[in-house]
Amino acid sequence: MEATRNSGPVADCCRHCSIGPTQKHSRVSNNRRKGASGPAGKKLELKNCTFMKVISKNFAFALSALPNLVVLNCSGCKFFSEKKWALSNAIVAGAPNITHLTVDGFEQAIDLSVLGELKFLSSLSIASFWEKMKRPEDWQVWQDSFQSIWPHISSLNLTYTQPDGGLQPDFFTHLSKLRSLSLYGHGALADRTCAAIANCCPELERLDIGQCTRVSDTGLTKLATLHHLKWLNLYQCTRLTDSAVQHLASRCRKLEHLSVYGLDKMTVQGMLSVLEFCPNMGSLDMGGCKKITGDGRGQVEKVLELR
């Protein structure tokens, strides 16, 4: 259960899509009629778009007809997975000025090194690349190809996309402008990598390390130096203790959303301390916390409601 006040922020995580089938089809239909949304065709939303089979062969040409396009979401367009590298080549050829790109789940159709040619890219989502990015050498090729892009990246979604052995600290060396980072499902994420994130990404405002089960109090303490942090997901990070979460809250006082779902070591007093440290906290997910029940949960919710 999640406790929120009326105006609290809503987590817009990709794994909990709030769009139903009817809405989804309506959105696709609108895109088909209008081409792209927003002023002067700046945004093209093709998520789960089945009609795209008709224009797949001419996708690069279709994109080139939208010279102002800067935001593109192609997640769920399954036809591309049949043609190796088809999507990445089409995007680079048809929309070279793109700044925001979402291609979740397209590991067969995407060559990340080719995307290194998108010189204006600032936001990239490549969630659920289950197999393609397992080998550390593939990560190195990607890092090298993005050498000139990394300093400009402000948002990066790597949900369920990780190399064997986990991300290495040096991956974050050039990501100093990063404001949003999702490493959800990175079971091998180590405390030393958390330290690298804190050192290399000082402007981070949103961090998702849900189900990063190797992260301990040591790693969380390192993240406490992220003073701009507003949104943090610690879902099922079961090694974390109440005192470490309180320590982070005492340093990251701009927090507006926090999820400690499934953390059995959390206590009512600990959550009350978190709320005291973070006056802007509007959303606190305490679901699955075995020590926070009944009157204790009600006490925490009451504090939120009175804000």
Side-chain angles (χ1 to χ4, degrees):
M1 180 182 292
E2 182 177 4
T4 62
R5 62 182 178 185
N6 292 336
S7 60
V10 179
D12 57 353
C13 190
C14 62
R15 61 187 178 278
H16 295 303
C17 182
S18 61
I19 301 171
T22 302
Q23 294 168 289
K24 188 185 297 179
H25 295 159
S26 174
R27 181 191 297 180
V28 169
S29 178
N30 287 338
N31 281 330
R32 189 175 185 180
R33 289 194 298 270
K34 300 176 183 178
S37 62
K42 290 186 176 182
K43 181 178 181 180
L44 185 58
E45 177 76 47
L46 299 172
K47 186 177 181 181
N48 298 312
C49 189
T50 55
F51 84 87
M52 281 291 291
K53 290 181 180 179
V54 178
I55 64 171
S56 60
K57 293 181 180 180
N58 302 309
F59 190 56
F61 176 76
L63 290 178
S64 65
L66 300 168
N68 297 319
L69 187 66
V70 292
V71 180
L72 177 62
N73 183 350
C74 293
S75 296
C77 300
K78 298 298 183 183
F79 71 94
F80 275 118
S81 62
E82 301 169 3
K83 297 181 178 181
K84 194 173 184 181
W85 314 146
L87 183 54
S88 52
N89 290 327
I91 291 171
V92 169
N97 297 324
I98 203 165
T99 60
H100 294 66
L101 178 62
T102 301
V103 287
D104 300 343
F106 278 115
E107 52 187 334
Q108 294 304 317
I110 287 291
D111 182 346
L112 290 174
S113 62
V114 170
L115 295 183
E117 297 179 33
L118 299 173
K119 302 304 181 184
F120 299 99
L121 197 64
S122 63
S123 175
L124 177 64
S125 180
I126 54 169
S128 301
F129 277 41
W130 295 97
E131 299 296 332
K132 179 180 173 57
M133 298 300 288
K134 275 191 171 183
R135 301 188 308 165
E137 50 266 42
D138 291 331
W139 278 86
Q140 191 59 55
V141 170
W142 178 35
Q143 284 180 248
D144 293 344
S145 66
F146 268 57
Q147 203 70 263
S148 64
I149 298 178
W150 291 129
H152 308 291
I153 294 291
S154 61
S155 179
L156 185 61
N157 180 8
L158 299 176
T159 296
Y160 291 125
T161 300
Q162 62 179 321
D164 289 337
L167 276 177
Q168 298 304 305
D170 64 354
F171 177 77
F172 298 96
T173 302
H174 302 293
L175 288 168
S176 61
K177 299 299 183 182
L178 201 62
R179 293 180 180 274
S180 178
L181 174 64
S182 177
L183 301 177
Y184 186 95
H186 283 224
L189 189 72
D191 289 336
R192 65 193 184 101
T193 305
C194 289
I197 293 172
N199 291 332
C200 300
C201 313
E203 297 183 15
L204 207 60
E205 297 179 359
R206 180 185 177 100
L207 178 61
D208 189 342
I209 54 172
Q211 288 195 347
C212 294
T213 52
R214 282 188 59 189
V215 175
S216 71
D217 287 357
T218 300
L220 193 65
T221 300
K222 298 295 184 181
L223 295 174
T225 60
L226 295 172
H227 301 307
H228 297 289
L229 203 60
K230 296 180 180 179
W231 195 100
L232 178 63
N233 183 16
L234 301 176
Y235 176 91
Q236 294 288 5
C237 294
T238 52
R239 296 183 65 185
L240 300 179
T241 67
D242 202 43
S243 59
V245 173
Q246 289 182 63
H247 173 75
L248 180 134
S250 70
R251 301 295 183 87
C252 302
R253 295 183 175 236
K254 293 183 180 180
L255 273 175
E256 298 174 2
H257 168 84
L258 175 65
S259 174
V260 291
Y261 188 103
L263 275 60
D264 293 342
K265 299 172 184 177
M266 299 301 105
T267 66
V268 171
Q269 188 54 51
M271 294 302 97
L272 290 173
S273 295
V274 166
L275 293 178
E276 184 177 351
F277 289 131
C278 304
N280 297 322
M281 182 78 71
S283 178
L284 179 59
D285 189 349
M286 304 174 289
C289 296
K290 295 181 179 179
K291 295 182 179 180
I292 305 177
T293 58
D295 292 342
R297 179 183 294 274
Q299 187 178 358
V300 177
E301 292 174 348
K302 184 68 172 179
V303 173
L304 277 172
E305 290 173 1
L306 292 175
R307 291 190 168 190

